[in-house]
Amino acid sequence: MTTRTLYLLCSAAPPVFDIAGVVEEAQAHGWDVCLGLTPTAAEWLEDSLDGLAALTGHPVRSRYKKPGHPDVWPPADAVLVAPATMNTINSWALGITGTWLVGFVAEAIGKGIPLTVVPCVNSAYAQHPQFPLSLETLRTAGVRVLYGPGFFEPNAPGEKRAYPWAAALDVVDEHRP
């Protein structure tokens, strides 16, 4: 099996604290994993960033590179955006690229890179009128949105549930380029 590169891009939501195990599982699936974080997720994982870089063999990214500087990652064969907060999803769908992570996935749509997103929002956020519109915008753009039965279903505010990491990796594997 040829190794392919998976960009695992994470927002600041509680499942991000499980990311080392997710990286290991993706590697077991044959992926070379590059880990990207929103600035807040990077802050949350600040004490783990060196270990995560060692685990992936790549620097962990959370900011835009300086113009003229080389890319530090190999090109992506697939991208998994998970956990994806309401802010990340709405910014992405609306093309508001204030963070490197959102800027990358917004551009990845136009580059035809296979994209999968798994939301992580509570049921109160899910009721906001923009949220379903943003999910539909991403679907229309060709992004695989793993939301609903069998994937991610919103929990009540403050309630904790298992996040569907295994299902997300299975879908990414099914669509391996």
Side-chain angles (χ1 to χ4, degrees), residues 1-80:
M1 169 173 35
T2 303
T3 301
R4 299 290 192 180
T5 300
L6 174 66
Y7 284 15
L8 178 56
L9 307 179
C10 308
S11 301
V16 78
F17 291 109
D18 301 325
I19 206 62
V22 177
V23 167
E24 290 171 337
E25 186 63 25
Q27 290 169 332
H29 286 230
W31 291 102
D32 176 23
V33 180
C34 296
L35 180 61
L37 305 169
T38 62
T40 302
E43 182 181 323
W44 287 9
L45 297 177
E46 182 177 19
D47 294 338
S48 304
L49 295 179
D50 290 341
L52 291 166
L55 177 62
T56 64
H58 303 284
V60 177
R61 290 195 63 189
S62 62
R63 303 201 183 283
Y64 284 104
K65 67 180 182 70
K66 291 181 182 174
H69 285 198
D71 287 331
V72 296
W73 289 354
D77 293 299
V79 176
L80 173 59

Side-chain angles (χ1 to χ4, degrees), residues 6 9 22 33 50-51 95 98 107 109 130 133 135 142 144 147 159 167 174:
L6 174 66
L9 307 179
V22 177
V33 180
D50 290 341
E107 187 176 31
I109 289 172
Q130 184 58 49
L133 297 173
L135 293 179
R144 290 183 303 277
Y147 183 76
E159 177 187 353
E174 289 170 10

Side-chain angles (χ1 to χ4, degrees), residues 50-152:
D50 290 341
L52 291 166
L55 177 62
T56 64
H58 303 284
V60 177
R61 290 195 63 189
S62 62
R63 303 201 183 283
Y64 284 104
K65 67 180 182 70
K66 291 181 182 174
H69 285 198
D71 287 331
V72 296
W73 289 354
D77 293 299
V79 176
L80 173 59
V81 183
T85 61
M86 182 171 167
N87 185 55
T88 294
I89 290 167
N90 287 343
S91 295
W92 183 8
L94 294 170
I96 301 169
T97 59
T99 65
W100 168 80
L101 189 151
V102 175
F104 177 82
V105 293
E107 187 176 31
I109 289 172
K111 290 182 173 181
I113 300 170
L115 296 158
T116 302
V117 63
V118 185
C120 187
V121 299
N122 67 38
S123 56
Y125 279 128
Q127 296 303 311
H128 189 283
Q130 184 58 49
F131 185 68
L133 297 173
S134 292
L135 293 179
E136 185 56 30
T137 296
L138 294 176
R139 283 185 186 105
T140 300
V143 177
R144 290 183 303 277
V145 177
L146 306 185
Y147 183 76
F151 296 113
F152 179 81

